[in-house]
């Protein structure tokens, strides 16, 4: 059954939407200086948007207040490893070597993985794929129709692009707690053209390293679960490498941040104080055309109530904090 509102109808894109109107999860914003347009990306679904398959939607704005859309920029194609009716999560778009690359987590719920699942869920195909386009408005086409970038026998999500000090591309992603119980953040080095990986995963840190008790022991379970979601990497003005990520605190979603002690992807990583609570998370940061750092995230966690919220950020040199 569709849950309709004008701000979520890709058959009739229109201007004048506010963020409070737009059902959105895992938001990602690109500030395109060439056109003066902000692009907001979020997942699109048959239930919420009347689409015939899952995909990615984009909204456009010149002031972060009024948004036009939604526009379909990607739809899961027939014949790919992912099922078109099983979900598209955490889309993000990166400019790289003259083209635009969509990172999006796809699924095939009917293809099980071996091993013990946790939290009452099941192990299945899940991982971040990469699609490419010549425009921020797509259409984006999958680069590899056979599988995601991380290892296929790993249940993963929320992959993002990171370029290291030598100019080498990496995908940093979350290894799902459903498979590991203690979710992790991991990374694989990518081919120069982003068409696949050229390394095995490296471990960055575990969800249980949060500086508060973020574990949950399900009824009848024998091991606590620790969620890792929404990894995003940035450099401060003081050249500190930090990572946004999300987990839980007392059953509520929380936006938090970590910092690399060495300033490199390999870490080790130290966990800092959370940025935003109140069932908020899976955020990313971008700079406005005026140069201000902004954090966008979704709250509350569950759809269709979830909406985007914006916070101005302060770059302290050592980290980022919400501007008071």
């Amino acid at each position: 059954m569709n849950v309709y509102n004008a701000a979520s109808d890709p058959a009739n894109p229109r201007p004048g939407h506010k963020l409070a109107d737009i059902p959105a999860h895992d938001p990602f914003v690109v500030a395109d200086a060439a056109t003066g347009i902000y692009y907001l990306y979020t997942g699109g679904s048959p239930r919420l948007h009347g689409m015939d398959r899952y995909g990615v939607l984009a909204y456009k704005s010149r002031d972060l207040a009024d948004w036009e859309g939604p526009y379909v920029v990607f739809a899961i194609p027939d014949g790919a490893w992912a099922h078109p009716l099983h979900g598209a999560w955490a889309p993000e778009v990166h400019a790289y070597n003259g083209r635009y690359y969509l990172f999006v987590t796809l699924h095939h719920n009917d293809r099980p993985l071996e091993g013990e699942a946790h939290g009452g869920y099941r192990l299945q195909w899940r991982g971040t794929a990469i699609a490419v386009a010549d425009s921020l408005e797509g259409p984006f086409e999958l680069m590899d129709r056979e599988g995601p970038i991380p290892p296929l026998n790993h249940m993963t999500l929320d992959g993002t692009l990171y370029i290291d000090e030598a100019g080498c591309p990496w995908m940093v992603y979350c290894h799902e707690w459903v498979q590991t119980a203690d979710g992790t953040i991991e990374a694989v080095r990518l081919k120069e053209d982003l068409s696949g990986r050229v390394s095995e995963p490296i471990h960055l840190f575990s969800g249980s390293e949060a500086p508060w008790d973020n574990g949950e022991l399900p009824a009848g379970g024998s091991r606590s679960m620790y969620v890792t979601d929404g990894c995003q990497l940035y450099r401060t003005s003081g050249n500190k490498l930090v990572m946004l990520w999300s987990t839980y605190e007392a059953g509520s979603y929380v936006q938090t941040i970590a910092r690399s002690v060495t300033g490199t992807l390999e870490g080790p990583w130290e966990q800092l104080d959370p940025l935003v609570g109140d069932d908020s998370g899976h955020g990313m940061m971008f700079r406005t055309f005026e140069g201000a750092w902004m954090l966008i995230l979704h709250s509350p966690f569950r759809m269709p109530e979830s909406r985007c919220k914006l916070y101005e950020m302060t770059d302290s040199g050592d980290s980022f904090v919400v501007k008071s």
Side-chain angles (χ1 to χ4, degrees):
M1 179 181 178
N2 295 338
V3 181
Y4 175 82
N5 66 38
S8 62
D9 182 5
N12 296 286
R14 62 188 71 178
H17 306 308
K18 304 297 185 182
L19 288 179
D21 302 326
I22 301 172
H25 223 245
D26 308 342
F28 193 90
V29 170
V30 174
D32 183 36
T35 61
I37 295 174
Y38 297 100
Y39 287 87
L40 167 64
Y41 298 94
T42 188
S45 74
R47 185 175 71 91
L48 286 179
H49 306 101
M51 302 165 64
D52 68 350
R53 62 190 59 219
Y54 281 87
V56 175
L57 301 176
Y59 297 81
K60 301 188 291 185
S61 175
R62 291 191 177 275
D63 59 8
L64 299 175
D66 293 295
W67 295 84
E68 174 185 318
Y71 298 94
V72 178
V73 299
F74 171 75
I76 302 173
D78 292 329
W81 67 270
H83 197 292
L85 295 178
H86 290 175
W89 295 354
E92 53 186 72
V93 174
H94 300 270
Y96 177 80
N97 285 352
R99 304 190 79 188
Y100 298 99
Y101 292 83
L102 169 70
F103 286 49
V104 59
T105 300
L106 304 179
H107 318 256
H108 201 309
N109 303 342
D110 299 329
R111 291 185 169 179
L113 298 176
E114 294 183 358
E116 178 189 1
H118 301 278
Y121 293 89
R122 58 194 293 263
L123 302 184
Q124 60 206 37
W125 280 25
R126 174 178 296 165
T128 299
I130 301 178
V132 64
D134 293 318
S135 166
L136 285 164
E137 300 182 20
F140 289 89
E141 296 185 3
L142 283 179
M143 299 183 72
D144 185 350
R145 297 168 67 94
E146 301 303 316
I149 296 295
L152 188 55
N153 63 336
H154 290 184
M155 196 171 174
T156 63
L157 71 167
D158 297 354
T160 190
L161 178 65
Y162 173 70
I163 308 298
D164 69 15
E165 300 81 4
C168 299
W170 293 76
M171 178 183 284
V172 182
Y173 60 90
C174 303
H175 195 160
E176 183 75 278
W177 64 272
V178 175
Q179 186 172 44
T180 64
D182 191 355
T184 63
I185 309 289
E186 300 176 358
V188 290
R189 185 171 167 181
L190 299 176
K191 295 180 180 179
E192 189 66 25
D193 65 359
L194 308 189
S195 63
R197 61 184 170 90
V198 295
S199 78
E200 292 303 307
I202 62 171
H203 174 88
L204 304 185
F205 62 84
S206 299
S208 60
E209 294 176 35
W212 61 87
D213 184 9
N214 65 324
E216 180 180 355
L217 183 63
S222 59
R223 185 177 180 186
S224 291
M225 312 293 131
Y226 299 90
V227 171
T228 49
D229 279 349
C231 44
Q232 300 281 339
L233 293 103
Y234 303 91
R235 287 276 176 187
T236 70
S237 58
N239 201 34
K240 302 294 186 181
L241 180 63
V242 298
M243 183 193 301
L244 299 183
W245 67 288
S246 288
T247 186
Y248 281 83
E249 181 178 20
S252 179
Y253 211 43
V254 61
Q255 178 66 66
T256 191
I257 188 168
R259 180 173 57 208
S260 171
V261 174
T262 61
T264 66
L265 181 63
E266 291 81 2
W269 290 83
E270 57 182 343
Q271 303 300 324
L272 307 179
D273 291 335
L275 298 173
V276 184
D278 299 324
D279 203 23
S280 303
H282 199 119
M284 60 84 61
M285 293 193 304
F286 64 96
R287 298 191 84 160
T288 67
F289 299 127
E290 294 74 35
W293 279 105
M294 301 293 291
L295 168 69
I296 188 169
L297 48 70
H298 70 255
S299 180
F301 180 81
R302 296 294 180 189
M303 291 287 268
E305 296 82 8
S306 179
R307 297 292 187 270
C308 297
K309 294 185 178 180
L310 286 167
Y311 298 82
E312 191 169 351
M313 304 296 287
T314 297
D315 177 355
S316 69
D318 287 327
S319 185
F320 292 93
V321 295
V322 176
K323 189 173 183 177
S324 58

